[in-house]
């Protein structure tokens, strides 16, 4: 199957300014050479600790940040090398659901205008058609029609996220980037939003990039999972393989921290030593080696490439010199 999205060696480095003259003293390596493909109709989960570059990656794919280098190719069009005029119609095909719906929705606008705005920007339909389309969007995300003349602050967090989802699907996009869309919600509401996203995917043939730090949520919704550490992908495979046969020691540590619902079950907890290194001056070699209990000399000197370790028909990639050896 031909991928809908290709990410090729994507980098996003933010300059660090210091002094009265605001001279650049270094760079934050937020995304540091990420490559992957996303197939039509699948959900790719991206997980990792806070500060690993997940959100920056999503915003760079959306072209909200102009990447330092690398390519974001949607279909056969390099998004980051497309002019603003040519990018506008292309944006109809990929949208984003943000983590905090209260921040991402304009508090001065009614729900009616929030949902109508995409059609106004892209000059789609007349007033009557837009009105009918807005009613359809509200019904699809489970909100009553009397929501239209209310403001975002009049809704609960889950309802505000439903408004954000309605806005994201308004233009019938092909790809949705979901940036921790349920992390700010109560657990009971999280399940409702996740079920809504899965239903919309089936009904509208959507493709998702689902960003989260909650590995349980990612396993529930994702077909494949990419694990990020300090701006790079360290492991990628289908969800079951990641959770049952992790190859990278960082992934093993993350999975060992997942709460076990069975009180009688015993799981070995892997405690990582030290803190995540600064993305301004990442360590040489494998970025994970200062915290890795199995690090050797080669880990301190040479960064491992993301290689495939196939197990039958399962494609499993890991960036570790000794993947799966312990």
């Amino acid at each position: 199957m031909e991928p809908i999205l290709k990410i090729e060696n994507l980098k996003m480095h933010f300059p660090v300014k210091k002094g009265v003259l605001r001279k650049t003293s270094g760079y934050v390596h937020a995304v540091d050479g990420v490559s992957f493909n996303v197939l039509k109709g699948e959900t790719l989960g991206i997980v990792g600790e806070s500060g690993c570059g997940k959100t920056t990656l999503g915003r760079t794919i959306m072209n909200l940040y102009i990447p330092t280098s690398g390519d974001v190719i949607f279909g056969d069009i390099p998004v980051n090398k497309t002019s603003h005029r040519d990018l506008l119609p292309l944006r109809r095909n990929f949208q984003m659901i943000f983590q905090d719906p209260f921040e991402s929705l304009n508090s001065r606008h009614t729900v009616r205008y929030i949902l109508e705005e995409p059609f106004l920007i892209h000059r789609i339909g007349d007033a009557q058609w837009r009105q009918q389309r807005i009613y359809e969007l509200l019904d699809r995300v489970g909100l009553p029609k009397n929501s239209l003349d209310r403001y975002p602050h009049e809704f609960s967090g889950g309802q505000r996220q439903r408004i954000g989802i309605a806005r994201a699907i308004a233009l019938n996009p092909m790809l949705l980037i979901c940036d921790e869309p349920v992390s700010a919600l109560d657990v009971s509401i999280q399940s409702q939003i996740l079920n809504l996203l899965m239903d919309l995917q089936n009904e509208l043939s959507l493709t998702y990039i689902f960003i989260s730090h909650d590995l349980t949520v990612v396993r529930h919704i994702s077909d494949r999972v990419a694990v990020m550490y300090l701006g790079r992908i360290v492991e990628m495979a289908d969800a079951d393989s990641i959770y049952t046969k992790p190859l990278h020691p960082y992934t093993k540590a993350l999975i060992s921290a997942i709460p076990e619902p069975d009180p009688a079950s015993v799981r070995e907890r892997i405690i990582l030593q030290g803190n995540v290194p600064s993305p301004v001056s990442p360590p040489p070699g494998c970025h994970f080696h200062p915290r890795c209990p199995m690090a050797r000399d080669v880990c301190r000197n040479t960064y491992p490439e993301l290689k495939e370790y196939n197990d039958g028909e399962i494609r499993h990639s890991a960036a570790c010199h000794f993947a799966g050896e312990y």
Side-chain angles (χ1 to χ4, degrees):
M1 183 182 295
E2 188 71 20
I4 189 175
L5 180 73
K6 299 177 185 177
I7 308 299
E8 298 179 351
N9 198 30
L10 191 66
K11 296 183 180 181
M12 186 65 238
H13 298 170
F14 296 99
V16 177
K17 305 287 187 178
K18 288 186 177 181
V20 177
L21 299 178
R22 309 299 295 164
K23 291 185 177 180
T24 300
S25 61
Y27 291 88
V28 176
H29 298 74
V31 178
D32 198 24
V34 169
S35 299
F36 60 84
N37 293 339
V38 182
L39 302 179
K40 181 176 175 57
E42 79 165 339
T43 299
L44 174 66
I46 299 179
V47 299
E49 294 172 285
S50 296
C52 72
K54 307 185 300 295
T55 293
T56 301
L57 175 60
R59 294 185 178 216
T60 306
I61 292 173
M62 284 291 299
N63 213 43
L64 299 179
Y65 298 143
I66 305 302
T68 304
S69 63
D71 290 306
V72 177
I73 303 173
F74 185 83
D76 57 356
I77 301 173
V79 174
N80 58 304
K81 296 178 180 177
T82 302
S83 67
H84 180 73
R85 170 183 280 184
D86 294 334
L87 184 61
L88 182 61
L90 185 63
R91 281 199 180 279
R92 295 175 58 176
N93 295 313
F94 54 93
Q95 295 291 320
M96 191 166 189
I97 302 171
F98 295 91
Q99 177 178 358
D100 187 349
F102 193 74
E103 293 292 331
S104 63
L105 300 177
N106 192 322
S107 60
R108 298 182 179 183
H109 290 167
T110 63
V111 172
R112 182 188 305 275
Y113 185 80
I114 288 171
L115 297 184
E116 188 178 21
E117 188 176 25
F119 305 118
L120 296 174
I121 291 173
H122 291 273
R123 301 178 182 178
I124 299 174
D126 56 20
Q128 183 178 356
W129 182 90
R130 292 195 298 268
Q131 180 78 5
Q132 182 60 36
R133 177 62 176 156
I134 289 170
Y135 284 145
E136 292 173 2
L137 289 171
L138 287 178
D139 183 62
R140 195 177 286 275
V141 300
L143 289 174
K145 291 183 178 180
N146 61 11
S147 303
L148 284 180
D149 295 316
R150 295 161 63 189
Y151 292 86
H153 72 270
E154 300 180 70
F155 296 88
S156 67
Q159 290 173 324
R160 283 197 292 266
Q161 195 59 289
R162 289 175 186 269
I163 297 169
I165 293 171
R167 180 180 62 181
I169 66 171
L171 299 174
N172 293 321
M174 301 170 67
L175 172 70
L176 281 185
I177 298 177
C178 309
D179 182 17
E180 306 219 31
V182 299
S183 64
L185 307 177
D186 294 337
V187 174
S188 59
I189 305 301
Q190 286 185 16
S191 62
Q192 296 176 18
I193 297 300
L194 288 174
N195 289 335
L196 172 62
L197 289 173
M198 295 170 73
D199 290 342
L200 291 174
Q201 184 174 37
N202 292 330
E203 294 171 10
L204 304 177
S205 300
L206 293 169
T207 303
Y208 289 152
I209 295 178
F210 192 91
I211 298 168
S212 179
H213 64 271
D214 190 329
L215 278 79
T216 305
V217 168
V218 169
R219 184 176 190 179
H220 176 68
I221 198 171
S222 301
D223 300 302
R224 286 190 300 147
V225 176
V227 181
M228 285 191 71
Y229 184 79
L230 214 61
R232 297 186 179 185
I233 291 178
V234 297
E235 187 164 359
M236 177 180 283
D238 68 88
D240 288 338
S241 295
I242 284 283
Y243 286 82
T244 58
K245 296 180 180 179
L247 298 180
H248 198 282
Y250 176 62
T251 310
K252 292 183 179 181
L254 289 180
I255 291 174
S256 76
I258 299 175
E260 180 58 59
D262 183 1
S265 177
V266 178
R267 175 188 287 162
E268 180 185 359
R269 180 75 167 89
I270 301 174
I271 307 297
L272 295 178
Q273 302 300 316
N275 298 316
V276 179
S278 170
V280 177
S281 55
C286 176
H287 292 348
F288 185 62
H289 86 256
R291 306 175 71 195
C292 181
M294 310 302 293
R296 307 177 195 177
D297 288 341
V298 65
C299 304
R300 299 179 180 92
N301 300 315
T302 306
Y303 191 89
E305 298 296 326
L306 190 66
K307 295 182 180 179
E308 279 195 7
Y309 299 84
N310 292 340
D311 181 11
E313 297 182 357
I314 305 288
R315 299 180 64 184
H316 199 144
S317 301
C320 179
H321 293 295
F322 307 101
E325 292 187 14
Y326 39 82

